[in-house]
């Protein structure tokens, strides 16, 4: 059978109007040609989307209605008061911004790749894009304020959509052609819809057509799933139209939109290329989320201690065949130790101590290696930890966890061994901010015994690099309320200011409780870093009240501490 190249070309997507075939696009251009004899060039993208979903015998009427609306919308002549009353901020696709329009709208600006920011007048029967003459008549500043206020009053519908596992999108849609333009002021929109602004890291956002915007707040590790899910969502909605805006995924950050989508127009292929700053944020959030450090929806359900105990026992048992699983075994054991404190907040029971002791064993083994030893998980449940070589991973926060545990459980030998882990290895962790590495350097220096001047110097470096403007990986809220608190306590500890330490400890515990709220996550139960600093202070004779929230009493005062293999 002979291959029909002509037929294939006819049915291929049109290069200029890809929502139509080449044959359909040719017919539409022929129908529109008589209306373009006024010397103006008119974009056919929105009209093509309408025709795509209509029988071709209706196309002449659709074309006639479309150009009639354009004629009505182009009359102008409104008073300044009428302009201010009806003006709205409006996003337009760059491809619709013809040279003729650009000359008449010098006030408009490109706000992101593929998107132009302009003003539009919402009239009784049509929407008209404002020209420089309109802006001059009403005043640029006054028009901008009115455009913002009118846009924010546009009614919309809102729902949450699950995509790619546990990632969720906020879908914002409505009949108004200005709906998607609300992406310009996304944090205020989020405040209106869900009662809180966007996180400091911003959001992933798509504006596929003028009636829809979708966004995902960048707050936890689900951002890694959301970015691909949102890209597919945006492309489908953009192709469906009408009123197409952009098939791209953007990063809304501090009021600006940055395109993450790279389009190869020659091959019509799409790829996602987040900038380094966003990649750092995503990497940090995935790491934090994976180890249960973030207060998220996933932390709403209390863990089942029996299931967590069995999972930890199984992960230890597998180490004989798969030594690479030691990191996961440590994470599981630490979650179990924290979870026990949900039902045993004072750490009075032997099973709670066993979980803490096992965490110490696994954490130290992860970074310093170990000889074979038994790990007890309560009752008669004992697992053999095999001999492990000293191959420390580049995981800075896991090292801090291991050190905090050794401090709490008064394991001086393990503390010394952990402080011999090369800082150069931990510096290879590309998922943490610089202050974390300075904090590790401070603690290693402190426990290794050089002069206090060196400790103070390194502590100052930790403080200087933990300010919000220096953060590129961790959420500011998490850093301020959780991660930085041990640093503040250590500062009071080495200055010997006992009253200041007591006050700082109370603040740290309050911040811990406020951050986690009603979360049932294991890490919500114990403020591990503050507990480690309080344990040091207790041993130095500081007057520490052992009955404080998130501080297991019998770990703090050493009464539950027993020998660890």
């Amino acid at each position: 059978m002979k291959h029909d190249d002509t037929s294939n070309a006819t049915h291929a997507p049109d290069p200029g109007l890809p929502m139509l075939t080449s044959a359909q696009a040719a017919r539409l251009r022929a129908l529109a040609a008589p209306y373009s004899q006024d010397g103006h060039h008119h974009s056919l993208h929105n009209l093509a989307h309408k025709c795509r979903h209509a029988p071709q015998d209706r196309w002449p009427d659709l074309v006639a209605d479309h150009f009639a609306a354009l004629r009505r919308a182009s009359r102008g002549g409104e008073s300044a008061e009428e302009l201010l009353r009806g003006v709205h901020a409006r996003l337009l696709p760059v491809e619709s911004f013809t040279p003729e329009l650009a000359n008449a709208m010098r006030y408009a600006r490109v706000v992101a790749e593929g998107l132009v920011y302009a003003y539009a007048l919402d009239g009784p029967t049509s929407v008209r894009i404002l020209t420089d003459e309109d802006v001059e008549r009403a005043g640029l500043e006054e028009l901008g304020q009115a455009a913002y206020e009118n846009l924010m009053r546009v009614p919309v519908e809102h729902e949450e959509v699950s995509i790619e596992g546990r990632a969720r999108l906020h879908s914002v849609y409505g009949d108004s052609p200005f709906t998607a333009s609300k992406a310009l002021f996304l944090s205020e929109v989020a405040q209106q819809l869900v009662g809180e602004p966007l996180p400091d890291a911003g959001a992933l956002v798509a504006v596929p057509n003028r009636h829809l915007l979708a966004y995902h707040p960048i707050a936890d590790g689900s951002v890694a799933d959301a970015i691909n899910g949102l890209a597919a969502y945006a492309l489908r909605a953009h192709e469906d139209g009408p009123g197409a805006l952009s098939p791209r995924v953007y990063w809304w950050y501090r009021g600006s939109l940055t395109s993450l989508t790279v389009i190869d127009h020659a091959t019509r292929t799409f790829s996602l290329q987040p900038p380094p700053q966003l990649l750092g944020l995503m990497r940090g959030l995935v790491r934090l989320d994976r180890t249960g450090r973030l207060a998220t929806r996933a932390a709403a359900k209390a863990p089942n201690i029996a299931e967590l105990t069995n999972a930890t026992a199984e992960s230890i048992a597998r180490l004989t065949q798969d030594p690479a699983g030691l990191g996961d075994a440590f994470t599981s054991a630490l979650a179990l130790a924290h979870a026990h404190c949900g039902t045993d907040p004072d750490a009075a029971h032997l099973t709670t101590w066993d979980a803490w002791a096992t965490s110490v064993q696994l954490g130290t083994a992860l970074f310093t290696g170990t000889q074979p030893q038994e790990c007890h998980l309560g009752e008669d449940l004992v697992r053999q930890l095999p001999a492990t070589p000293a191959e420390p991973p580049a995981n800075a926060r896991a090292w801090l966890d291991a050190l905090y545990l050794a401090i709490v459980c008064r394991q001086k030998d393990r503390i010394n061994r952990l402080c011999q882990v090369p800082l150069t290895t931990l510096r290879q962790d590309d998922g943490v901010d610089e202050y974390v590495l300075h904090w590790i350097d401070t603690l290693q220096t402190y426990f290794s015994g050089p002069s206090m001047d060196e400790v103070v110097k390194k502590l100052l470096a930790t403080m200087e690099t933990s300010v919000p403007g220096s953060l590129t990986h961790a959420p500011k809220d998490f850093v301020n309320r959780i991660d930085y608190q041990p640093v503040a306590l250590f500062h009071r500890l080495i200055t010997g200011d006992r009253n200041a330490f007591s006050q700082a400890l109370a603040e740290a515990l309050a911040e811990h409780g406020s951050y986690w709220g009603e979360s049932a996550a294991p890490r919500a139960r114990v403020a591990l870093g503050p507990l480690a600093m309080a344990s040091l202070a207790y041993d130095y004779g500081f007057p520490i009240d052992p009955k404080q929230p998130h501080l297991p009493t019998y770990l703090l005062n050493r009464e539950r501490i027993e020998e660890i293999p």
Side-chain angles (χ1 to χ4, degrees), residues 84 283 313 434:
L84 294 173
R283 190 177 294 117
E434 188 66 21

Side-chain angles (χ1 to χ4, degrees), residues 300-381:
K301 184 179 178 182
N304 183 300
I305 290 181
E307 292 178 358
L308 194 50
T309 300
N310 289 332
T312 303
E314 290 173 4
S315 65
I316 296 172
R318 286 194 297 268
L319 294 177
T320 303
Q321 288 77 34
D322 182 19
L326 183 54
D328 291 336
F330 175 49
T331 298
S332 180
L334 185 54
L336 177 62
H338 282 78
H340 269 294
C341 292
T343 55
D344 180 21
D346 291 333
H349 302 154
L350 179 60
T351 51
T352 301
W353 165 251
D354 283 344
W356 280 79
T358 297
S359 297
V360 171
Q361 292 172 276
L362 295 175
T364 309
L366 178 63
F367 288 95
T368 71
T370 187
Q371 295 298 315
Q373 56 195 264
E374 290 183 342
C375 293
H376 294 258
L377 291 167
E379 301 294 335
D380 296 322
L381 185 57

Side-chain angles (χ1 to χ4, degrees), residues 370-520:
T370 187
Q371 295 298 315
Q373 56 195 264
E374 290 183 342
C375 293
H376 294 258
L377 291 167
E379 301 294 335
D380 296 322
L381 185 57
V382 180
R383 290 292 180 269
Q384 187 75 18
L385 176 61
T388 305
E391 297 178 353
N395 192 328
R397 281 203 174 89
W399 183 92
L400 281 172
D401 280 342
L403 184 73
Y404 291 157
L405 287 164
I407 293 171
V408 170
C409 295
R410 287 23 178 225
Q411 297 291 299
K412 292 183 180 180
D413 178 64
R414 283 181 163 96
I415 292 171
N416 292 333
R417 286 163 54 199
L418 285 165
C419 288
Q420 292 170 21
V421 174
L423 187 60
T424 52
T425 298
L426 299 176
R427 283 193 178 279
Q428 295 171 22
D429 186 347
D430 59 0
V432 297
D433 291 287
E434 188 66 21
Y435 77 89
V436 177
L437 299 167
H438 282 299
W439 176 224
I440 291 172
D441 193 14
T442 302
L443 291 170
Q444 288 191 339
T445 304
Y446 175 75
F447 284 110
S448 298
S451 70
M452 190 57 70
D453 288 343
E454 276 298 303
V455 175
V456 171
K457 178 181 176 182
K458 293 176 179 182
L459 178 61
L460 288 174
T462 305
M463 294 176 171
E464 290 168 358
T465 53
S466 64
V467 296
S470 299
L471 303 179
T472 58
H473 287 71
K476 182 176 70 176
D477 193 44
F478 167 78
V479 173
N480 289 343
R481 303 169 84 178
I482 300 296
D483 224 26
Y484 182 74
Q485 296 303 322
V487 180
L489 287 165
F490 183 77
H491 176 215
R492 302 304 184 190
L493 179 70
I494 64 173
T495 59
D497 191 334
R498 300 186 173 196
N499 290 333
F501 185 91
S502 294
Q503 182 178 350
L505 180 59
E507 292 173 357
L509 299 177
E511 290 286 9
H512 181 92
S514 177
Y515 174 80
W516 286 104
E518 298 300 317
S519 172

Side-chain angles (χ1 to χ4, degrees), residues 250-311:
Y250 297 92
W251 178 28
W252 188 99
Y253 182 63
R254 298 182 180 178
S256 297
L257 291 170
T258 301
S259 175
L260 309 183
T261 305
V262 176
I263 302 175
D264 186 329
H265 292 282
T267 60
R268 288 192 54 77
T269 57
F270 294 69
S271 61
L272 291 167
Q273 297 182 19
Q277 185 181 7
L278 179 57
L279 277 176
L281 280 167
M282 292 172 62
R283 190 177 294 117
L285 286 169
V286 169
R287 291 273 191 89
L288 290 168
D289 207 7
R290 187 178 295 153
T291 52
R293 299 173 193 271
L294 297 179
T296 65
R297 291 187 189 190
K301 184 179 178 182
N304 183 300
I305 290 181
E307 292 178 358
L308 194 50
T309 300
N310 289 332

Side-chain angles (χ1 to χ4, degrees), residues 37 113 121 135 254 339 362 411 513 536 551 559:
Q37 294 174 0
E113 197 167 357
L121 184 68
V135 173
R254 298 182 180 178
L362 295 175
Q411 297 291 299
L536 285 175
L551 296 185
E559 291 185 17

